Amino acid sequence: MKVSELGRRTGVQVPLIKYYLREGLLPPGRATASNQADYGEDHVHRLRLIRTLIGTRGLSTGATKEILDAISAEQEDLHQVFGIVLGVRPTTLDAAPETETAPESEPAGLVDARKLIAEMEWEASPGNPAAHTLAEVLAALADLGADIDWRGLLPYARLADGIADVDVRQMAGERDLLAQAERAVLVSIILEPALLALRRLAQESKSAHHFGGTGGGGGRPGEVKSP
């Protein structure tokens, strides 16, 4: 296909496609003339992936190129591809975190996060930024004096484990490397706001079921009743 058709297929404007070509994010097409080239399905997948990483995930051009280069270097290792999309460095994906002991200087939140990971028997690498996010949340809960510690998050962790199983199963059918990466972005990034939205909808429904009929309640959350 010509560059104009590539733009129509992906929703990316031609000047932006040419910019990605100049920056090395998108490989050159097969030259057909001095100033013309043909592009294939690999370009469609890669361009959609570029658009998602930059537009949805908010990465810079340089960071996006680094991820794409890392994905290409991993060839057929789907575990590595998924990890790269999640923000895990390829060199740390296969390393299990230390959960038996921790240095005294290690933040308490990170120690608790590792306890939760160990309890779930998750094979999480030290380079996964989600572990540090979890640690920050646990530390904030402790600072607030909340009665929720890492054990209190276990029911949520079990639900997350089931969601992750669905995510990974959705990726299993893809064989092409770029299609795998595109699918990884879809299930790990694009669907994330939908999962939060589903939780909010379910929370309203459960609140109505448990609290809506008590104390003269009822109605929608936040709704002001007339005296």
Side-chain angles (χ1 to χ4, degrees), residues 196-220:
L196 179 59
L198 290 171
R199 184 188 181 197
R200 293 287 184 262
L201 291 167
Q203 285 174 333
E204 179 183 358
S205 177
K206 296 299 182 183
S207 175
H209 177 74
H210 288 286
F211 311 126
T214 62
R220 295 183 178 87

Side-chain angles (χ1 to χ4, degrees), residues 130-227:
H132 295 277
T133 299
L134 177 61
E136 291 170 359
V137 171
L138 287 166
L141 289 170
D143 289 342
L144 290 171
D147 59 352
I148 303 174
D149 61 5
W150 69 269
R151 296 176 185 84
L153 294 184
L154 285 174
Y156 294 95
R158 295 185 185 104
L159 292 171
D161 192 78
I163 293 172
D165 189 57
V166 175
D167 289 340
V168 172
R169 288 179 186 276
Q170 289 194 62
M171 292 180 59
E174 297 291 354
R175 296 185 178 275
D176 178 78
L177 181 64
L178 288 174
Q180 289 172 350
E182 188 179 1
R183 190 71 174 177
V185 169
L186 188 152
V187 300
S188 64
I189 299 174
I190 304 298
L191 288 183
E192 203 161 68
L195 294 178
L196 179 59
L198 290 171
R199 184 188 181 197
R200 293 287 184 262
L201 291 167
Q203 285 174 333
E204 179 183 358
S205 177
K206 296 299 182 183
S207 175
H209 177 74
H210 288 286
F211 311 126
T214 62
R220 295 183 178 87
E223 185 178 55
V224 178
K225 292 182 174 294
S226 301

Side-chain angles (χ1 to χ4, degrees), residues 25 27 34 42-43 56-57 60 80 103 108 135 140 201 207 223:
L25 276 75
S34 59
D42 282 355
H43 291 89
T56 304
R57 193 168 166 185
S60 66
Q80 298 282 1
L201 291 167
S207 175
E223 185 178 55

